[in-house]
Coordinates of all heavy atoms in Angstrom, one line a residue:
Chain C
T138 N -4.4 6.3 17.5 CA -3.1 6.6 16.8 C -1.9 5.9 17.4 O -0.8 6.4 17.4 CB -2.8 8.1 16.8 OG1 -2.7 8.6 18.1 CG2 -3.9 8.9 16.0
E139 N -2.2 4.7 17.9 CA -1.2 4.0 18.7 C -0.6 2.8 17.9 O -1.4 2.1 17.2 CB -1.8 3.5 20.0 CG -0.7 3.1 21.0 CD -1.4 2.5 22.3 OE1 -2.6 2.2 22.3 OE2 -0.7 2.4 23.3
V140 N 0.7 2.7 18.0 CA 1.3 1.5 17.5 C 1.8 0.7 18.7 O 2.5 1.3 19.5 CB 2.5 1.8 16.6 CG1 3.3 0.6 16.1 CG2 2.1 2.6 15.3
T141 N 1.4 -0.5 18.8 CA 1.8 -1.3 19.9 C 2.8 -2.4 19.5 O 2.8 -2.9 18.4 CB 0.6 -2.0 20.6 OG1 0.0 -2.9 19.6 CG2 -0.5 -1.0 21.1
Q142 N 3.7 -2.7 20.5 CA 4.7 -3.7 20.2 C 4.8 -4.6 21.5 O 4.8 -4.1 22.6 CB 6.1 -3.0 20.1 CG 6.3 -2.3 18.7 CD 7.7 -1.8 18.5 OE1 7.9 -0.6 18.5 NE2 8.6 -2.7 18.4
K145 N 7.8 -6.0 25.5 CA 8.6 -4.7 25.8 C 10.1 -5.1 25.9 O 10.9 -4.3 25.5 CB 8.1 -4.1 27.1 CG 6.8 -3.3 27.0 CD 6.5 -2.5 28.2 CE 5.5 -1.5 28.1 NZ 4.3 -1.9 27.3
P179 N 18.0 5.6 14.8 CA 17.3 4.4 14.3 C 17.8 4.1 12.9 O 18.0 5.0 12.1 CB 15.8 4.7 14.3 CG 15.7 5.9 15.3 CD 17.0 6.6 15.2
L224 N 17.4 -1.9 20.6 CA 16.0 -1.5 20.6 C 15.4 -1.7 19.2 O 16.0 -1.1 18.3 CB 15.8 -0.1 21.1 CG 14.4 0.4 21.3 CD1 13.6 -0.3 22.4 CD2 14.3 1.9 21.5
Y225 N 14.4 -2.5 19.1 CA 13.7 -2.7 17.8 C 12.4 -1.9 17.8 O 11.5 -2.2 18.6 CB 13.5 -4.2 17.5 CG 14.9 -4.8 17.2 CD1 15.7 -5.3 18.3 CD2 15.3 -5.0 15.9 CE1 16.9 -5.8 18.0 CE2 16.6 -5.5 15.7 CZ 17.4 -5.9 16.7 OH 18.6 -6.5 16.5
L226 N 12.4 -1.0 16.9 CA 11.2 -0.1 16.7 C 10.4 -0.5 15.5 O 10.9 -0.7 14.5 CB 11.6 1.4 16.6 CG 12.3 2.0 17.8 CD1 13.0 3.3 17.3 CD2 11.2 2.4 18.8
C227 N 9.1 -0.4 15.7 CA 8.1 -0.6 14.6 C 7.5 0.7 14.3 O 7.3 1.5 15.3 CB 7.1 -1.7 15.0 SG 5.7 -1.9 13.8
A228 N 7.2 1.0 13.1 CA 6.5 2.2 12.7 C 5.5 1.9 11.6 O 5.6 0.9 10.9 CB 7.4 3.3 12.3
Q239 N 5.6 9.1 10.2 CA 5.6 7.7 10.6 C 5.2 7.8 12.1 O 5.6 8.6 12.9 CB 6.9 7.1 10.4 CG 7.2 6.9 9.0 CD 8.5 6.0 8.7 OE1 9.0 5.4 9.6 NE2 8.9 6.0 7.5
Y240 N 4.4 6.8 12.5 CA 3.9 6.6 13.9 C 4.7 5.4 14.4 O 4.7 4.3 13.9 CB 2.4 6.3 13.9 CG 1.6 7.5 13.5 CD1 1.4 7.9 12.2 CD2 0.9 8.2 14.5 CE1 0.6 8.9 11.9 CE2 0.1 9.3 14.2 CZ 0.0 9.7 12.8 OH -0.8 10.7 12.5
F241 N 5.4 5.7 15.5 CA 6.3 4.7 16.1 C 5.7 4.0 17.3 O 4.9 4.6 18.1 CB 7.6 5.3 16.5 CG 8.5 5.6 15.4 CD1 8.4 6.8 14.7 CD2 9.5 4.7 15.0 CE1 9.2 7.1 13.6 CE2 10.4 5.0 14.0 CZ 10.2 6.2 13.3
G242 N 6.0 2.7 17.5 CA 5.7 2.1 18.7 C 6.8 2.4 19.8 O 7.8 3.0 19.4
P243 N 6.6 1.9 21.0 CA 7.6 2.1 22.0 C 8.9 1.3 22.0 O 9.9 1.5 22.6 CB 6.9 1.8 23.3 CG 5.8 0.8 22.9 CD 5.5 1.1 21.5
G244 N 8.8 0.2 21.1 CA 10.0 -0.6 20.9 C 10.1 -1.8 21.8 O 9.4 -1.9 22.8
T245 N 10.9 -2.8 21.3 CA 11.2 -4.0 22.1 C 12.7 -3.9 22.4 O 13.5 -3.8 21.4 CB 10.9 -5.3 21.3 OG1 9.4 -5.4 21.2 CG2 11.4 -6.5 22.1
Chain X
Y159 N 11.2 14.6 14.5 CA 10.6 13.8 15.5 C 11.1 14.2 16.9 O 12.2 14.6 17.0 CB 10.9 12.3 15.3 CG 10.2 11.7 14.1 CD1 10.8 11.8 12.8 CD2 8.9 11.1 14.2 CE1 10.1 11.3 11.7 CE2 8.3 10.6 13.1 CZ 8.9 10.7 11.8 OH 8.3 10.2 10.7
R160 N 10.2 14.1 17.9 CA 10.6 14.3 19.3 C 10.5 12.9 20.0 O 9.5 12.2 19.8 CB 9.7 15.3 20.0 CG 9.9 15.4 21.5 CD 9.1 16.5 22.1 NE 7.7 16.4 21.9 CZ 6.9 17.4 22.0 NH1 7.3 18.6 22.2 NH2 5.6 17.2 21.8
W161 N 11.6 12.6 20.7 CA 11.6 11.3 21.4 C 12.0 11.5 22.8 O 13.1 11.8 23.2 CB 12.7 10.4 20.7 CG 12.6 9.0 21.1 CD1 11.8 8.4 22.0 CD2 13.4 7.9 20.5 NE1 12.0 7.0 22.0 CE2 13.0 6.7 21.1 CE3 14.4 7.9 19.6 CZ2 13.5 5.5 20.8 CZ3 15.0 6.7 19.3 CH2 14.5 5.5 19.9
E162 N 10.9 11.4 23.7 CA 11.1 11.5 25.1 C 11.5 10.1 25.7 O 11.1 9.1 25.1 CB 9.8 11.9 25.8 CG 9.4 13.3 25.4 CD 8.0 13.7 26.1 OE1 8.0 13.8 27.3 OE2 7.1 13.9 25.3
T163 N 12.3 10.1 26.7 CA 12.8 8.9 27.3 C 11.6 8.0 27.7 O 10.6 8.5 28.2 CB 13.6 9.3 28.6 OG1 14.6 10.2 28.3 CG2 14.2 8.0 29.2
A164 N 11.7 6.7 27.4 CA 10.7 5.7 27.7 C 9.4 5.9 26.9 O 8.4 5.2 27.3 CB 10.5 5.6 29.2
K165 N 9.4 6.7 25.9 CA 8.2 6.8 25.1 C 8.6 6.6 23.6 O 9.7 6.3 23.3 CB 7.7 8.3 25.2 CG 7.1 8.6 26.6 CD 6.4 9.9 26.6 CE 5.7 10.1 27.9 NZ 5.0 11.4 28.0
S166 N 7.5 6.6 22.8 CA 7.7 6.4 21.3 C 8.1 7.7 20.7 O 7.7 8.8 21.1 CB 6.4 5.9 20.7 OG 5.9 4.9 21.4
P167 N 9.0 7.7 19.6 CA 9.2 8.9 18.8 C 7.9 9.4 18.3 O 7.1 8.6 17.8 CB 10.1 8.4 17.7 CG 10.7 7.1 18.2 CD 9.7 6.5 19.1
E168 N 7.8 10.7 18.3 CA 6.5 11.4 17.9 C 6.8 12.4 16.8 O 7.7 13.2 16.9 CB 5.9 12.1 19.1 CG 4.7 13.0 18.8 CD 4.5 14.0 19.9 OE1 5.2 14.0 21.0 OE2 3.5 14.8 19.8
A169 N 6.1 12.3 15.7 CA 6.3 13.2 14.6 C 5.9 14.6 15.0 O 4.9 14.9 15.6 CB 5.5 12.7 13.4
L170 N 6.8 15.5 14.6 CA 6.5 17.0 14.8 C 6.1 17.6 13.4 O 5.1 18.2 13.3 CB 7.8 17.7 15.3 CG 8.1 17.4 16.7 CD1 9.5 18.0 17.1 CD2 7.1 17.9 17.7
A209 N 13.8 16.3 25.7 CA 13.7 15.1 24.8 C 14.9 15.1 23.8 O 15.7 16.1 23.8 CB 12.4 15.2 24.0
T210 N 14.9 14.1 23.0 CA 15.9 14.0 21.9 C 15.1 14.4 20.7 O 14.0 13.8 20.4 CB 16.6 12.7 21.8 OG1 17.4 12.4 22.9 CG2 17.4 12.6 20.5
L212 N 15.0 14.4 16.7 CA 15.6 13.7 15.5 C 15.1 14.3 14.2 O 13.9 14.5 14.1 CB 15.3 12.3 15.5 CG 15.9 11.4 16.6 CD1 15.1 10.1 16.8 CD2 17.4 11.1 16.3

Side-chain angles (χ1 to χ4, degrees):
Chain C
T138 58
E139 197 181 14
V140 175
T141 59
Q142 290 187 245
K145 281 188 167 43
L224 180 70
Y225 288 84
L226 290 163
C227 172
Q239 293 188 11
Y240 291 76
F241 284 84
T245 293
Chain X
Y159 290 85
R160 173 170 59 201
W161 196 355
E162 294 178 64
T163 304
K165 292 190 177 180
S166 310
E168 174 199 356
L170 290 173
T210 295
L212 291 162

